Amino acid sequence: MSTYLYGANVHANGIRQHYLRYGGTEGERAGRDAVIIIPGITSPAITWGFVGERFGTHFDTYVLDVRGRGLSEASDALDYSLDAQAADVVAFAEALGLQRYALVGHSMGGRIALRAARSHPKGLTRMVLVDPPVSGPGRRAYPSKLPWYVDSMALARKGCDAEAMRQYCPTWTEEQLALRAEWLHTCDERAILASFEGFHTDDIHVDFPEAKVPVLLMTAERGDVVRDEDVEEIRGLLSSVEHTRVGDAGHMIPWDNEEGFYSAFGTFLGAPLAPKA
């Protein structure tokens, strides 16, 4: 049975923010913190729907379209900086009146969550950073290359099917490829260029010592985004951080090892993301 409730828009931080909601507040979910999922650089909320479905079984869950992606606002005048994206998340939670919530951010979304936590927003209780790029000024580059994003978006804007998208995501299922082929065109290239540049110009390491809530760092066994030495550096900046590595997974962890992804949360969010029956 689906846990999907609805998709909606809210005006927050001066823009239209679109989101998908799963689960609601009935039953055991009523006593647990809500969860806001922040996807990565070219992942509209709908592509995280399968994750939202599982989270919705246990938590009141909101999957965001980051500005410039999906059905959220996009324009040539919009600020696509990390600071603006972080302010969006804080304003989103406030606009929906969430009293207690956790942030789960994947890749770029992890960087957004960490920057949002820097302002110590009321209601934020914990956060999970899923394989966040640790690139930045004077650091090694993010391993994915810009043409991978630009070329696949250009293909999607023309119109393509799942098979055409397979060259960019060869291990994905037919359903996952079809969703990406359908929705990738909604990623504003200006937003993606700004965010990719930010991977190399924004220093997120200064944000770790400012985190005042429990933090779980989840990393992929493959993909070279977060190495062992990066984990140790982060531990030096935030000694309380918890770390778990998901085996048999690259950067797109829930696509590569979905059950391993859910298991890696343990009880960090207040309840385990139990396996499918």
Side-chain angles (χ1 to χ4, degrees), residues 10-223:
V10 63
H11 188 79
N13 197 32
I15 67 166
R16 182 189 72 252
Q17 296 192 47
H18 177 261
Y19 65 96
L20 304 176
R21 189 181 183 190
Y22 297 82
T25 57
E26 294 75 22
E28 293 182 338
R29 291 181 295 248
R32 297 171 182 163
D33 299 347
V35 175
I36 299 174
I37 296 176
I38 313 169
I41 188 169
T42 54
S43 293
I46 189 65
T47 63
W48 277 74
F50 70 105
V51 175
E53 289 280 6
R54 175 68 71 91
F55 269 76
T57 302
H58 305 281
F59 306 99
D60 187 22
T61 303
Y62 302 80
V63 186
L64 286 184
D65 270 328
V66 177
R67 60 169 60 199
R69 286 89 173 166
L71 301 181
S72 285
E73 191 164 329
S75 79
D76 57 5
L78 210 58
D79 180 359
Y80 289 119
S81 68
L82 178 60
D83 286 340
Q85 294 168 333
D88 284 348
V89 174
V90 175
F92 174 80
E94 291 176 351
L96 292 185
L98 300 180
Q99 299 299 307
R100 293 176 57 87
Y101 64 92
L103 295 178
V104 175
H106 171 251
S107 192
M108 177 191 75
R111 292 168 68 98
I112 293 171
L114 185 60
R115 181 58 56 89
R118 186 182 177 92
S119 66
H120 310 142
K122 182 181 179 181
L124 178 62
T125 58
R126 68 201 73 205
M127 61 181 171
V128 183
L129 312 178
V130 183
D131 223 37
V134 293
S135 47
R139 296 177 177 274
R140 75 176 187 278
Y142 180 58
S144 293
K145 304 304 180 185
L146 186 58
W148 187 91
Y149 300 105
V150 174
D151 294 349
S152 61
M153 288 189 297
L155 181 66
R157 284 196 299 272
K158 289 181 181 178
C160 69
D161 60 11
E163 189 56 39
M165 195 57 64
R166 192 179 301 279
Q167 62 180 301
Y168 296 98
C169 310
T171 64
W172 290 21
T173 67
E174 191 75 14
E175 182 180 8
Q176 291 164 348
L177 289 168
L179 266 181
R180 190 161 180 83
E182 178 185 4
W183 282 89
L184 186 59
H185 78 91
T186 68
C187 292
D188 190 306
E189 186 170 306
R190 294 161 296 198
I192 277 58
L193 291 175
S195 292
F196 190 86
E197 180 182 4
F199 284 174
H200 303 92
T201 58
D202 293 320
D203 182 5
I204 65 161
H205 289 78
V206 300
D207 296 332
F208 279 101
E210 300 299 319
K212 304 305 180 187
V213 297
V215 177
L216 173 63
L217 175 65
M218 183 187 303
T219 59
E221 185 177 61
R222 305 191 309 270

